[in-house]
Amino acid sequence: MKGNEADRRVLSGMRPTGRLHLGHYHGVLRNWVKLQHEYECFFFVADWHALTTDYAETREIEQIVWDMVIDWLAAGVNPGSATLFIQSKVPEHAELHLLLSMITPLGWLERVPSYKDQQAKLKEKDLTTYGFLGYPLLQSADILIYRAGKVPVGADQVAHVELTREVARRFNFVYGREPGFEEAAETAVGRMGKKSQRLYRDLRKRYLEQGDGEALSRARAMLDEQANLSLADKERLTGYLEGGGRLLLPEPEALLTESPKVPGLDGDKMSKSYGNTISLREEPAQVEQKIRTMKTDPARVRRTDPGNPEQCPVWSLHKLYSDADTRSWVTEGCTTAGIGCLDCKKPVIDAIVAEQDVMRQRARQYEEQPDLVKAIISEGSEHARDQARETLDVVRSAMGLGYR
Ligand code: TRP
Ligand code: SF4
């Protein structure tokens, strides 16, 4: 793995809204499973986020949370590779949220598109609350508390990552300019070995004098490897590289997940609120029954009517699940009425059932022993807390609250 700590670290959260379905699998979880091998990943259940809109119905949240974690595990998210935790088990998120709220102008929050959009969409709920307005800032705290450089999100969340960048920048600007910064940075340079000192100065000069970006990333990477520097010194030296003050909170970047279109049973996007889903741990008989009754090209009324796959949601599933041979069999058979829709659906049913066999198997032990899930989460939450506390120490001191 290359780059500095932040560039290697991925954080993402998911609201507990109910049982996960194929839309979540192809849109989010498959990507998490891939990322967990490439980055240091933190994935969490955003239970406080759920409260920002569903504060009035919290009775089922606990069950939903545990089921969601089992769905993650079933999909192949591996607690040996990624840190899995629950937001409310890491109260440091809340403290950072509070501290960041001090420097966040109201206008920044009111301008986040989801604020007005969701209020208009969820009319039955009163979302003129403090918690709802602050929800994107809570998300900023989620990200910044781990100093995560990469945040895999869908397009609807990019504005929140953007807000996070602005908040981090403002924080660094307001609190990163300690008196005597240059001297502190020079002292920190002196704490490195002779060879590293020389390399650091050389790379810094190349960056500051020639704007050499390669030198900047090399210098960041070498700082990261310095075992004998405190986190505070690392920040100083990172900030010093760019000439300014300490870089207290790194600005994250959205990793835009390109999610394939997963059609629901009625042809609309698969979504819980449309009631058109196939859940991740659906029984095979249910999968079969749901797909057999799934919408097809409306032009194929009778078996003898030719169809057009492009007009058919089943075709979108073929694009996700079938190989080239099967797909040309579909195109040929559909457009010539050579096959019936039930024939066409068979390979999709088989592929989904086979994919889910693995998931149901993985899930079984957790369903039978819920304590295993709790142990994974408490271990993950502990590890997350350790990381969160480090950041919070830096933040508190930078804000003048470092007294004990
Ligand atoms: N707001 C996200 C959603 O509703 C969930 C979330 C909360 C999140 N905190 C996060 C995602 C931090 C990425 C990073 O889907
Ligand atoms: Fe859709 Fe397949 Fe039927 Fe064509 S044959 S309409 S692609 S289900």
Side-chain angles (χ1 to χ4, degrees):
M1 283 196 252
K2 288 215 306 255
N4 63 355
E5 180 200 59
D7 288 337
R8 286 198 305 263
R9 200 171 266 194
V10 158
L11 171 114
S12 201
M14 204 188 276
R15 278 175 186 239
T17 49
R19 291 298 281 269
L20 300 187
H21 51 66
L22 288 184
H24 297 108
Y25 180 63
H26 292 285
V28 183
L29 291 174
R30 263 178 29 166
N31 188 43
W32 284 13
V33 170
K34 179 164 148 290
L35 291 169
Q36 71 186 352
H37 302 299
E38 300 165 1
Y39 295 92
E40 180 192 10
C41 289
F42 290 78
F43 298 130
F44 73 99
V45 181
D47 56 348
W48 284 337
H49 284 268
L51 297 184
T52 63
T53 50
D54 296 335
Y55 53 83
E57 320 135 34
T58 58
R59 254 163 315 165
E60 286 176 41
I61 192 165
E62 175 168 11
Q63 193 55 46
I64 296 175
V65 166
W66 295 123
D67 274 332
M68 191 162 93
V69 177
I70 296 182
D71 281 334
W72 292 359
L73 297 165
V77 178
N78 180 351
S81 310
T83 299
L84 309 183
F85 65 100
I86 297 175
Q87 183 180 34
S88 62
K89 294 208 170 213
V90 186
E92 284 76 9
H93 291 228
E95 185 174 340
L96 184 60
H97 178 202
L98 173 89
L99 293 175
L100 295 176
S101 77
M102 306 301 169
I103 59 161
T104 305
L106 270 183
W108 289 12
L109 295 172
E110 288 161 347
R111 248 190 285 120
V112 173
S114 60
Y115 181 60
K116 296 239 157 58
D117 291 356
Q118 294 289 94
Q119 282 185 337
K121 223 166 109 193
L122 305 173
K123 279 218 187 61
E124 71 287 2
K125 295 179 182 152
D126 179 1
L127 294 182
T128 58
T129 57
Y130 180 48
F132 184 68
L133 176 67
Y135 138 75
L137 187 64
L138 178 59
Q139 184 162 352
S140 300
D142 299 337
I143 298 168
L144 296 174
I145 195 101
Y146 299 105
R147 322 158 66 73
K150 313 267 180 201
V151 185
V153 285
D156 61 323
Q157 298 284 314
V158 171
H160 299 164
V161 180
E162 198 44 53
L163 171 77
T164 306
R165 295 169 63 85
E166 281 168 24
V167 171
R169 210 172 300 148
R170 182 156 182 148
F171 188 89
N172 292 332
F173 181 76
V174 176
Y175 301 111
R177 288 156 190 266
E178 51 183 0
F181 174 74
E182 297 245 328
E183 296 85 79
E186 283 297 331
T187 311
V189 174
R191 293 201 175 105
M192 294 189 287
K194 282 268 149 16
K195 239 172 90 185
S196 301
Q197 292 189 21
R198 219 172 307 125
L199 182 60
Y200 176 85
R201 289 194 201 287
D202 177 50
L203 292 169
R204 175 170 185 264
K205 196 161 150 217
R206 270 167 51 195
Y207 177 66
L208 286 177
E209 288 178 5
Q210 298 146 39
D212 182 344
E214 163 79 24
L216 179 63
S217 20
R218 275 185 58 200
R220 283 182 178 154
M222 73 151 286
L223 282 178
D224 212 40
E225 283 159 20
Q226 297 296 315
N228 50 342
L229 285 183
S230 65
L231 192 56
D233 271 348
K234 278 188 192 176
E235 262 133 35
R236 268 184 204 106
L237 291 182
T238 308
Y240 194 43
L241 277 175
E242 292 171 70
R246 288 169 69 187
L247 189 67
L248 298 163
L249 297 173
E251 289 179 34
E253 215 174 87
L255 272 185
L256 197 57
T257 323
E258 36 166 309
S259 38
K261 180 175 163 274
V262 181
L265 300 169
D266 56 0
D268 261 328
K269 181 178 172 225
M270 188 177 283
S271 160
K272 179 183 160 222
S273 49
Y274 301 152
N276 62 2
T277 63
I278 295 176
S279 74
L280 277 197
R281 290 180 272 150
E282 190 94 47
E283 285 305 319
Q286 277 288 321
V287 173
E288 172 159 10
Q289 199 259 337
K290 284 184 168 180
I291 304 248
R292 284 172 70 98
T293 51
M294 181 170 176
K295 281 233 175 88
T296 58
D297 175 0
R300 282 203 86 176
V301 181
R302 276 174 295 263
R303 166 71 176 76
T304 47
D305 297 332
N308 175 1
E310 294 304 333
Q311 303 297 323
C312 177
V314 177
W315 176 240
S316 307
L317 291 179
H318 274 293
K319 287 197 231 164
L320 284 170
Y321 284 98
S322 299
D323 59 18
D325 282 352
T326 309
R327 292 208 301 256
S328 48
W329 169 78
V330 171
T331 314
E332 162 72 23
C334 178
T335 51
T336 60
I339 58 171
C341 288
L342 286 177
D343 304 320
C344 176
K345 287 170 170 179
K346 181 83 172 57
V348 169
I349 295 171
D350 291 346
I352 294 178
V353 168
E355 180 178 76
Q356 297 198 336
D357 265 342
V358 187
M359 299 198 212
R360 271 192 311 273
Q361 248 167 44
R362 285 201 202 100
R364 194 164 308 130
Q365 56 165 331
Y366 299 116
E367 292 163 346
E368 286 165 3
Q369 295 164 265
D371 283 353
L372 288 179
V373 184
K374 298 202 169 161
I376 289 170
I377 290 298
S378 57
E379 201 175 305
S381 304
E382 272 317 305
H383 176 63
R385 279 197 89 170
D386 288 342
Q387 301 302 313
R389 283 200 194 101
E390 279 191 27
T391 308
L392 212 43
D393 276 349
V394 170
V395 166
R396 286 199 196 116
S397 313
M399 293 181 82
L401 305 170
Y403 38 81
R404 294 174 200 264

